[in-house]
């Protein structure tokens, strides 16, 4: 799948490792741009909900073309079959929707994007690449009842509270994958399987860090009144476990 068809002319490239990121520009440095697009690098395509310059490295990242390595890991956990009905929450550039369309057939793919500007560009990218999945502009936490039930739900934004709608719109035996991030920062790849009882159970599969769903963004400060709301209980704590375990 050609990733360059989903990459913007200007972006901030952040390798999926310890290396520092930097701007890329297809017009002024085409080879550098091409190398970044075809490496394990995430590309920032929107900053500050559209108010910032995504190629500046400044502001809050609000949409990106995720690094291929983590995209493939989530798709492997999803394990979609041919002709599955798939809900893709967070269209972004449209690249994942294209990969899913290639795997299961575009007729079965529904992709939801909360930002209208991002969704419009994704639609154009998909058209250029020759795909036409069902695209929706809206709140992904609500799912899509008119296209349900789904065999698979694929979420590309950090989730702290799992919406019941996703479980309700997935067939028994169906799979939901997402970056589960109870707090801002590093979370976990979560794979859930929906049961016949209308619940979902699953397991974690390594670390993950995505931008949060817009409706679940965390505040960045701890206010004094929160102490009164917090509960407490006795327990044992091991500093070694805390240091060696993944956040979350």
């Amino acid at each position: 799948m050609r990733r360059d068809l989903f990459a913007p002319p200007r972006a901030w490239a952040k390798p999926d490792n310890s290396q520092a990121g930097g701007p890329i520009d297809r017009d002024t440095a085409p080879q550098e741009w091409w190398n970044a697009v075809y490496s394990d690098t995430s590309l920032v395509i929107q900053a500050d909900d559209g108010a910032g310059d995504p190629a500046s490295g400044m502001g809050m990242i609000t949409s990106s073309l995720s690094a291929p390595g983590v995209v493939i890991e989530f798709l492997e956990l999803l394990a979609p079959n041919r002709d599955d009905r798939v809900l893709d929450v967070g269209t972004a550039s449209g690249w994942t929707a294209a990969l899913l369309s290639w795997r299961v057939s575009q007729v079965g793919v529904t992709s939801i994007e909360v930002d209208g500007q991002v969704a419009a560009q994704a639609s154009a990218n998909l058209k250029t690449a020759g795909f036409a999945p069902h695209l929706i502009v809206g709140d992904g936490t609500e799912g899509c009842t008119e296209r349900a039930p789904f065999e698979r739900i694929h979420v590309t934004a950090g989730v702290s509270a799992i919406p019941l709608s996703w479980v309700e719109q997935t067939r028994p035996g169906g799979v939901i994958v997402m970056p589960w991030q109870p707090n801002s920062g590093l979370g976990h790849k979560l794979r859930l399987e929906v049961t016949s009882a209308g619940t979902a159970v699953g397991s974690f599969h390594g670390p993950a860090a995505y931008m949060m769903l817009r409706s679940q963004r965390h505040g960045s400060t701890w206010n004094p009144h929160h102490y009164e709301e917090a509960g407490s209980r006795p327990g044992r704590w091991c500093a070694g476990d805390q240091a060696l375990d993944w956040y979350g």
Side-chain angles (χ1 to χ4, degrees):
M1 182 64 62
R2 287 183 56 183
R3 194 170 183 242
D4 60 293
L5 298 179
F6 299 87
R10 297 176 63 254
W12 184 268
K14 179 63 177 72
D16 198 21
N17 53 35
S18 59
Q19 298 178 21
I24 57 172
D25 190 310
R26 187 176 60 193
D27 296 329
T28 61
Q31 189 60 54
E32 182 181 344
W33 180 89
W34 189 266
N35 291 343
V37 169
Y38 283 100
S39 65
D40 199 22
T41 299
S42 61
L43 305 178
V44 178
I45 64 175
Q46 188 191 67
D48 295 328
D49 295 333
D53 178 4
S56 69
M58 306 293 289
M60 177 174 61
I61 300 172
T62 49
S63 190
S64 71
L65 174 54
S66 298
V70 71
V71 170
I72 295 304
E73 288 175 353
F74 270 110
L75 291 177
E76 287 176 340
L77 289 175
L78 189 70
N81 300 303
R82 189 68 182 173
D83 297 324
D84 275 353
R85 296 178 69 86
V86 181
L87 176 64
D88 178 47
V89 178
T91 312
S93 70
W95 189 50
T96 304
L99 293 170
L100 289 168
S101 296
W102 172 83
R103 178 69 180 96
V104 308
S105 85
Q106 57 191 4
V107 175
V109 176
T110 301
S111 190
I112 304 178
E113 171 59 48
V114 70
D115 189 286
Q117 182 179 4
V118 171
Q121 184 60 58
S123 179
N125 294 343
L126 285 159
K127 183 178 180 179
T128 299
F131 294 101
H134 186 72
L135 302 181
I136 299 172
V137 178
D139 185 352
T141 63
E142 297 177 359
C144 182
T145 55
E146 61 269 27
R147 300 273 291 179
F150 300 99
E151 279 75 37
R152 298 289 190 271
I153 293 184
H154 177 264
V155 184
T156 61
V159 179
S160 59
I162 301 170
L164 183 59
S165 60
W166 294 347
V167 178
E168 293 173 336
Q169 293 176 29
T170 303
R171 292 184 186 275
V175 172
I176 307 171
V177 299
M178 71 191 76
W180 184 70
Q181 297 172 207
N183 297 291
S184 58
L186 189 62
H188 300 269
K189 299 181 187 72
L190 174 60
R191 181 185 187 275
L192 296 174
E193 185 169 326
V194 175
T195 72
S196 58
T199 60
V201 296
S203 54
F204 298 121
H205 297 266
Y210 275 64
M211 63 207 72
M212 300 298 296
L213 289 165
R214 289 198 182 181
S215 60
Q216 296 187 9
R217 285 175 179 169
H218 302 295
S220 60
T221 58
W222 173 268
N223 295 319
H225 70 269
H226 290 158
Y227 286 104
E228 299 176 1
E229 299 173 3
S232 63
R233 64 179 181 179
R236 298 180 63 188
W237 176 73
C238 175
D241 291 342
Q242 177 77 13
L244 296 175
D245 202 4
W246 287 108
Y247 180 78

